[in-house]
Amino acid sequence: MTVPPALHSHESTEHYTPHYVLDAVIACLGAIDLDPASNSREIPNVPAARYYTAHDNGLVQPWKGRVFLNPPFGPGVEQWFSKLYLERSAGRTTEAIVLWKSATETAAWKTLTAISCRVCFPSARIRFVGPAGDEGPGPTFSPALFYIWDRPDRFVRAFTGIGAVWEVPLRPL
Ligand SMILES: C[S@@+](CC[C@H](N)C(=O)[O-])C[C@H]1O[C@@H](n2cnc3c(N)ncnc32)[C@H](O)[C@@H]1O
C-alpha cells in the first residue's frame, strides 16, 4: 500500500474522514446538510446534501443547516472555526460536528471549544482515508470530535462507541 508521506501529519489537507466516523455523525445529526470543506463535487467522501470545495472556497459561502467539518489542517485552520462561530451566531448553521485534533495549546482549540458543548476523544487514533481511497497507519496527532450545539444527548449516544465524551465548560469566546 502506498501512502503519501504527509497524509498522516497535519501537513496534509487531503486526509478524508473514515466511514465509521461518518456513520456516527449521521446517527447524531440525522443527516448532513453541508460539507463546507469537501474533496470533490463529483466523488465526495462525505454523504452531504451540499458541498463546497477549494474551488468554491467554503470560507466565503453560507453554511446552512447541519454541518460536518473536517477542515484543511494547517496554520489557517482557526479561520474555519471562527467561520463556524459566525454561521452559528447568524442562525444559518443549526448544528455541527467538527473533526480536528487535540491541540489544547492553540488559539484554534480555544475558539473551537468556546462554541462546543461536548468533545469526543477517540480511544484509538483515527485512520484517515487518502485521496486514492486507501487507509494508512495511524496519524501522528491525537484526533478529537467537537459537537456544536444544543442536543448533546444525541452526540453522546452516537459517539460513546468511538471514545470518551467530555462536557466542555461554558465560557465566552
Ligand atoms: C481534511 S479534507 C476533508 C475532506 C472531506 N470533507 C472529508 O471529511 O473526508 C479537507 C478538504 O478541504 C478542501 N479545501 C481546501 N481549502 C478549501 C476551501 N477554501 N474551501 C473548501 N474546501 C477546501 C481540501 O481540498 C480537502 O479536500
Side-chain angles (χ1 to χ4, degrees):
M1 178 173 57
T2 307
V3 179
L7 174 62
H8 305 294
S9 75
H10 10 142
E11 292 161 35
S12 169
T13 58
E14 303 304 322
H15 52 271
Y16 305 157
T17 309
H19 282 258
Y20 72 92
V21 173
L22 294 171
D23 289 345
V25 170
I26 291 165
C28 174
L29 301 180
I32 302 169
D33 296 315
L34 177 69
D35 176 358
S38 177
N39 57 301
S40 164
R41 279 181 175 280
E42 289 72 35
I43 313 174
N45 183 55
V46 173
R50 298 192 67 211
Y51 305 92
Y52 299 133
T53 64
H55 177 74
D56 307 310
N57 190 5
L59 286 167
V60 299
Q61 306 290 345
W63 293 8
K64 290 188 187 155
R66 295 159 292 183
V67 170
F68 172 67
L69 172 65
N70 169 7
F73 285 25
V77 74
E78 191 189 356
Q79 63 190 326
W80 290 88
F81 307 148
S82 299
K83 169 72 172 173
L84 181 55
Y85 169 75
L86 291 174
E87 293 296 309
R88 168 75 195 173
S89 301
R92 284 186 287 273
T93 298
T94 54
E95 205 173 4
I97 294 173
V98 177
L99 171 54
W100 192 52
K101 58 183 177 172
S102 184
T104 54
E105 77 286 8
T106 62
W109 171 273
K110 287 169 191 143
T111 301
L112 190 51
T113 52
I115 59 171
S116 306
C117 67
R118 296 289 185 281
V119 182
C120 173
F121 297 101
S123 50
R125 289 207 174 168
I126 290 177
R127 291 171 184 268
F128 287 92
V129 178
D134 52 350
E135 182 189 85
T140 56
F141 54 87
S142 299
L145 290 134
F146 304 80
Y147 174 72
I148 297 126
W149 181 242
D150 54 11
R151 295 192 299 176
D153 292 352
R154 292 180 64 166
F155 181 78
V156 172
R157 275 200 299 278
F159 280 87
T160 296
I162 290 179
V165 177
W166 291 37
E167 184 169 351
V168 182
L170 280 179
R171 62 182 171 77
L173 186 62

